[in-house]
Amino acid sequence: MLDIEQKDNVFKIRMSATLENIDVVDDTLANYLSGWDLPVDIFAVRILLREALLNAVTHGSGMDSRKTVRLEIRMNTDGIDMEVCDSGSGFPWWNLKEYTFNLDEGGRGLALMKIYSDNMEFNETGNTIILRKRYKVDEPISR
Amino acid sequence: MINTDRENGKATVQPAGKITAGNADNLRRELLELVESGVHTLTIDLNNVDIIDSKGLSVFIVCHKTLSEKGGSLSVITENKDFQQLFHVMRLDEHFKVSSGE
């Protein structure tokens, strides 16, 4: 299952928790963002979406394709807000340690999201992540 | 699709498309098979690659570690500035060479 609904500046996506759906969502949004000519780092947005969805599919849903992952993307006047929610029980995000860039260390996905976003937050239980990527300030917003 | 050109323990591999969670395991297996078969100097050319995620990055790390244990080396070629920055911000370019290939 993969439902992509777009209305004005908001995308709402419901998808079965599969890796294949991550690729389809990423390809769809990358095409959309390229066409809309927003002053945003598209690569950064793709990394953020992919890593948030990957965590939701693998950790939040245990790779169970019967489970649903929800994604909402909002193109605001000053940046893009992304919210990814899974049906899992969350994780203790408040215990997250600083990533140390050790090659043996896990947590590379969370490190990427922290580096490439301007803001990263979780809901209380940790099954929803909210990411923000601001538009480049030196370029006018064309739309 | 992976094109491989190998000679005298050196190989250049050109993956295409995505290096992400959906296919990272296959790529890792193919690259480690190359190393097991005697390749000690491995170059991965990313000029036909569209996107890399955290699982994809782990493939490079495993290859680097395996090659290092055998006295070999990994290098990455990419003209894509986003990929160059990705390896840089994750400090992977401190462990293996990442260049534009020029």
Side-chain angles (χ1 to χ4, degrees):
Chain A
M1 177 263 292
L2 174 59
D3 295 328
I4 302 181
E5 179 190 324
Q6 186 219 337
K7 194 175 178 191
D8 299 328
N9 61 332
V10 181
F11 271 100
K12 288 184 179 177
I13 295 166
R14 286 171 68 242
M15 59 176 244
S16 307
T18 68
L19 298 178
E20 292 76 18
N21 277 341
I22 296 177
D23 286 339
V24 177
V25 169
D26 172 42
D27 286 341
T28 304
L29 289 166
N31 279 334
Y32 178 85
L33 288 171
S34 303
W36 226 21
D37 199 26
L38 290 167
V40 72
D41 180 347
I42 292 176
F43 181 76
V45 172
R46 294 182 70 189
I47 289 281
L48 295 174
L49 282 175
R50 279 194 161 272
E51 296 302 332
L53 289 174
L54 185 56
N55 277 349
V57 167
T58 55
H59 301 303
S61 309
M63 294 285 279
D64 181 347
S65 61
R66 292 167 300 180
K67 294 189 173 172
T68 301
V69 172
R70 293 169 195 276
L71 163 66
E72 185 168 318
I73 303 171
R74 202 172 282 274
M75 283 52 162
N76 291 320
T77 51
D78 57 347
I80 296 181
D81 290 316
M82 293 155 263
E83 188 171 314
V84 174
C85 178
D86 62 60
S87 59
S89 54
F91 79 109
W93 53 270
W94 52 90
N95 276 343
L96 276 179
K97 295 189 175 78
E98 283 292 312
Y99 186 68
T100 62
F101 298 95
N102 184 316
L103 291 187
D104 295 323
E105 187 179 17
R108 211 163 281 118
L110 280 167
L112 281 172
M113 286 191 278
K114 196 166 181 189
I115 290 168
Y116 278 94
S117 69
D118 291 302
N119 194 50
M120 178 169 89
E121 290 174 22
F122 299 92
N123 69 345
E124 196 173 346
T125 55
N127 68 348
T128 298
I129 184 167
I130 301 149
L131 295 156
R132 156 154 275 257
K133 187 68 187 171
R134 275 197 293 269
Y135 296 137
K136 298 170 188 169
V137 291
D138 55 337
E139 292 179 37
I141 297 170
S142 59
R143 186 164 178 177
Chain B
M1 184 189 71
I2 298 176
N3 285 326
T4 306
D5 174 22
R6 56 181 294 182
E7 192 179 350
N8 300 327
K10 297 181 181 179
T12 299
V13 176
Q14 277 193 310
K18 305 176 196 307
I19 304 183
T20 55
N23 66 3
D25 286 345
N26 286 340
L27 178 61
R28 184 178 60 211
R29 196 177 310 117
E30 291 185 45
L31 294 176
L32 291 180
E33 278 172 10
L34 270 181
V35 176
E36 285 304 316
S37 72
V39 167
H40 52 71
T41 305
L42 179 62
T43 302
I44 304 178
D45 180 337
L46 298 180
N47 285 322
N48 292 322
V49 172
D50 164 52
I51 189 79
I52 301 171
D53 71 1
S54 58
K55 289 285 179 198
L57 287 178
S58 70
V59 173
F60 295 87
I61 292 169
V62 168
C63 281
H64 160 70
K65 285 176 161 178
T66 307
L67 283 160
S68 295
E69 284 167 12
K70 294 173 180 288
S73 66
L74 169 71
S75 58
V76 171
I77 292 176
T78 177
E79 290 176 10
N80 184 323
K81 296 274 187 277
D82 289 326
F83 289 166
Q84 290 173 9
Q85 187 196 29
L86 177 65
F87 285 102
H88 182 65
V89 298
M90 294 307 282
R91 302 187 193 171
L92 297 177
D93 57 354
E94 295 172 10
H95 299 278
F96 48 83
K97 186 179 172 191
V98 178
S99 71
S100 59
E102 290 167 357

